[in-house]
Amino acid sequence: MPERPQTSRGAATYQRILDAATEEFAQYGIAGARIERIVAAARTNKAQLYAYFGDKERLFDAILLDSLERITNVVPIDADDLAEWAVRLYDEYLRRPDLIRLATWTRLERRPAGHLVEMHQHYDDRKLTAIAEAQAAGRVRAGDPFDIMAMVIAMSMAWSPVSNVYAASSREADDVHDQRRALLRDCVRKATAAD
């Protein structure tokens, strides 16, 4: 991630660019995103954007890494309760569907196979260690910690914007979300329970 400016005015412009770019890339992808729309929405100019981020590709990298940091920090793993972690991920996808869309565009336009980002260890190592420790203590089923993590995340995304069945919305009734949370919680508990 590029260094944030030190002045309050520069930091505010930098954040407006990140916010506008997140919205733009989430909606249009990397190829479809337009710098002109980003700078207009951010109330800045191309020169300022390029000074902070270099080019469109590096701007996308910055917002993708920012979104991964957000999901890691806002929804930290609890390997002793992977079911609740899945539910908290579900809730975050409702609040921020743009985060899932950014990952989807990355899959479609950059990395169709393998890890989503090259520096995946930065985002995965803590989760994998927590799962391995819970496995060693007999609280989580045996298996590759990465596969367990991937399965729980995939289950949490069942109704996300990338679902090929149904994408949930925060505008739906609370009782609908409560039913999904209960189902998700139960399924993850059963899938990850120690033998």
Side-chain angles (χ1 to χ4, degrees), residues 22-99:
T22 297
E23 201 170 300
E24 179 76 10
F25 284 117
Q27 184 169 353
Y28 298 105
I30 303 165
R34 296 292 173 257
I35 294 298
E36 295 80 12
R37 288 192 297 249
I38 294 170
V39 296
R43 301 181 319 278
T44 190
N45 57 58
K46 288 182 185 179
Q48 193 68 63
L49 183 147
Y50 291 132
Y52 289 145
F53 298 98
D55 60 24
K56 183 176 159 181
E57 292 289 323
R58 284 187 279 185
L59 174 59
F60 181 82
D61 292 340
I63 63 166
L64 177 64
L65 296 179
D66 189 54
S67 73
L68 292 173
E69 283 292 333
R70 175 182 169 75
I71 205 86
T72 299
N73 294 328
V74 171
V75 189
I77 191 169
D78 180 354
D80 289 326
D81 198 343
L82 291 171
E84 283 306 316
W85 181 53
V87 168
R88 288 185 291 117
L89 286 169
Y90 170 86
D91 288 338
E92 186 63 10
Y93 305 148
L94 285 177
R95 276 190 294 279
R96 294 290 308 271
D98 55 314
L99 302 178

Side-chain angles (χ1 to χ4, degrees), residues 7 18-19 24 33 35 60-61 65 72 90 96 105 141-142 153 162 181 183 194:
T7 67
L18 280 179
D19 293 343
E24 179 76 10
I35 294 298
F60 181 82
D61 292 340
L65 296 179
T72 299
Y90 170 86
R96 294 290 308 271
W105 284 114
R141 69 175 294 140
I153 291 171
V162 298
R181 288 179 187 109
L183 176 63

Side-chain angles (χ1 to χ4, degrees), residues 142-154:
D144 185 319
F146 183 87
D147 290 341
I148 290 172
M149 178 190 72
M151 180 188 64
V152 172
I153 291 171

